[in-house]
Amino acid sequence: MSPQTPVAMVVKKRGAGKTSPGKTPSPGGASGSGSAGNLQNLVQQPAGGAGRGALLASRTVKLLFLAALVTVTVLLLSRTTRPSQSNPFERRPTSTATSATSPSAEGSASSGEGAEADAGAAATPSTSSSSAASVDAGASPTQKPRERPPVVYSLSVVEEYDHDPGAFTQGFLHDRACDEATGACEDIFYESTGLYGETSVRQVDLKTGRVLRRRNAAARHFGEGLAKWGDELIQLTWQRPTTLVYNASGASLPLIREAKTDLKDGWGLTNDNASLIATDSGHTLYFLDPKNLTTTRKVDVLDGSQRVNYLNELEYVEGEVWANIWQTECIARIDPSTGKITGWILAYNVWHKEMVKSNALGLLHEMDVLNGIAYDGATKRLWITGKKWSTVYEVEVRVNENADLFNARQRCIV
């Protein structure tokens, strides 16, 4: 029975008003054989109206019985069709996906990061399953598996460290510098900075923010993402296929060579210990051979069917690629095997904290956006920073059970 079926129709369907076989009423109006005797115990008949009273009582009993039957049926159906209490991170209706319209990746470089930048210059993270798709329990083998929706996360600040507010951060990664004589090791960051005439690669002391070693690039280069491969630091450049390769062990991070990728633009860069992983301002992850910097595989990054553009600074974290989304306070968690978004990290609270601090120091900059993720797999520590930020923040990632996925998508998919 559908929820819209009137009770009267149910009664009719179940035979209300029909005459039972062998129970034909007599011409005088008395009920069929045996009916009057049964009704004597239920209805008191007025004098001279026993026949009509018996018939009325018979119909009353039938109606009461059918009403009780309908009531029981409705209760049973309501129990079987009542929606179960769903997990807040289970699949939501596709109609609530997102109404945000992302720009096409093609041509985005002309209005991208460097264009506005150049104008402005004149916790232990939880991991998702390796696949973003899962098959619903009880689903037919012929049904297409439904994708799990992204989980929304927030950040809490664990510690704050000084950062050069003049650094236009483009690439950011954690490492350790060890003294060969004593074996003592110190936490450091390798950092790539951008802007024409200000591009550099530097080694930075984590605790103090002091620049330990630095190599400036030629003024024609606009530095972008940075990754360490073996004993080399590889730096991408904006709107060029050129990469700059430095000796990470050298006293002053000397430039070893210039090389070329098969990308027309360079944005983010990281590695998964098998390949370099790069972005070019669009919605694609490119897997590069570290030896010759050519693309061996690529995967489009999607949230449902929606392209996720402007993948900027990258970090490889516990089997996922994490990407800053340019000019937002969002970090996308990406399954590198499928390109599917597994989670959105909302870092607005950290960005706001930095803006308050920078304003008090008189250091606000028009391009001081979130851009920089570093992760230490040995200790499960995570740090974030941004362009021209005065601080590096050690943070913890937590599921935000009160967040709305639709609003997160509206904020993060640009």
Side-chain angles (χ1 to χ4, degrees), residues 15-345:
K18 290 184 180 181
T19 303
S20 301
K23 301 278 186 175
T24 305
S26 65
S31 61
S33 172
S35 297
N38 292 333
L39 293 174
Q40 290 295 330
N41 298 326
L42 300 173
V43 180
Q44 296 293 328
Q45 300 296 340
R52 288 191 297 274
L55 179 60
L56 177 62
S58 176
R59 290 178 177 175
T60 301
V61 170
K62 289 180 179 179
L63 289 173
L64 289 173
F65 173 75
L66 290 172
L69 182 61
V70 170
T71 301
V72 172
T73 303
V74 171
L75 289 174
L76 290 174
L77 287 173
S78 67
R79 288 174 63 86
T80 57
T81 59
R82 182 180 302 164
S84 60
Q85 297 297 320
S86 60
N87 185 301
F89 304 120
E90 288 178 352
R91 178 69 172 174
R92 297 180 182 176
T94 55
S95 60
T96 63
T98 178
S99 60
T101 302
S102 66
S104 169
E106 289 74 23
S108 60
S110 62
S111 59
E113 178 182 34
E116 293 193 23
D118 196 36
T124 304
S126 61
T127 57
S128 65
S129 61
S130 60
S131 174
S134 68
V135 179
D136 293 332
S140 168
T142 60
Q143 289 179 331
K144 185 178 180 180
R146 295 194 302 172
E147 297 170 4
R148 291 189 183 276
V151 178
V152 181
Y153 302 86
S154 59
L155 296 177
S156 58
V157 175
V158 177
E159 190 61 81
E160 301 179 19
Y161 301 95
D162 288 341
H163 178 252
D164 178 8
F168 193 82
T169 305
Q170 300 284 64
F172 194 59
L173 60 96
H174 172 269
D175 203 356
R176 286 183 176 82
C178 299
D179 188 305
E180 294 183 358
T182 64
C185 297
E186 299 290 336
D187 288 308
I188 61 168
F189 297 121
Y190 284 112
E191 185 171 6
S192 165
T193 66
L195 300 176
Y196 291 114
E198 298 183 28
T199 290
S200 69
V201 166
R202 53 183 71 181
Q203 184 190 82
V204 180
D205 180 68
L206 185 155
K207 292 181 179 179
T208 65
R210 184 168 63 91
V211 177
L212 303 175
R213 295 184 292 164
R214 173 173 176 166
R215 171 64 59 178
N216 295 329
R220 68 179 182 276
H221 297 303
F222 190 118
E224 285 283 349
L226 183 73
K228 189 170 185 284
W229 187 263
D231 210 27
E232 296 181 343
L233 293 170
I234 302 172
Q235 182 184 39
L236 298 180
T237 59
W238 181 58
Q239 291 190 327
R240 298 287 187 275
T242 304
T243 62
L244 307 177
V245 183
Y246 304 85
N247 181 355
S249 298
S252 58
L253 305 176
L255 179 68
I256 301 173
R257 64 184 180 278
E258 291 189 11
K260 293 187 182 298
T261 70
D262 51 7
L263 306 179
K264 295 180 180 179
D265 193 3
W267 274 43
L269 189 65
T270 187
N271 78 82
D272 62 359
N273 295 321
S275 302
L276 296 173
I277 305 172
T279 59
D280 65 350
S281 82
H283 67 287
T284 303
L285 295 179
Y286 297 90
F287 294 78
L288 309 180
D289 185 330
K291 296 180 180 179
N292 55 30
L293 302 179
T294 58
T295 301
T296 60
R297 181 173 76 89
K298 60 183 179 179
V299 61
D300 290 339
V301 177
L302 303 172
D303 184 345
S305 60
Q306 184 77 34
R307 290 180 175 182
V308 178
N309 286 302
Y310 301 138
L311 304 170
N312 208 2
E313 211 276 326
L314 305 178
E315 183 73 7
Y316 192 75
V317 180
E318 301 293 331
E320 294 181 332
V321 174
W322 290 19
N324 286 121
I325 306 300
W326 181 58
Q327 287 197 325
T328 75
E329 297 81 49
C330 301
I331 297 174
R333 294 177 60 162
I334 307 165
D335 181 340
S337 64
T338 64
K340 296 298 183 182
I341 297 292
T342 64
W344 287 109
I345 301 173

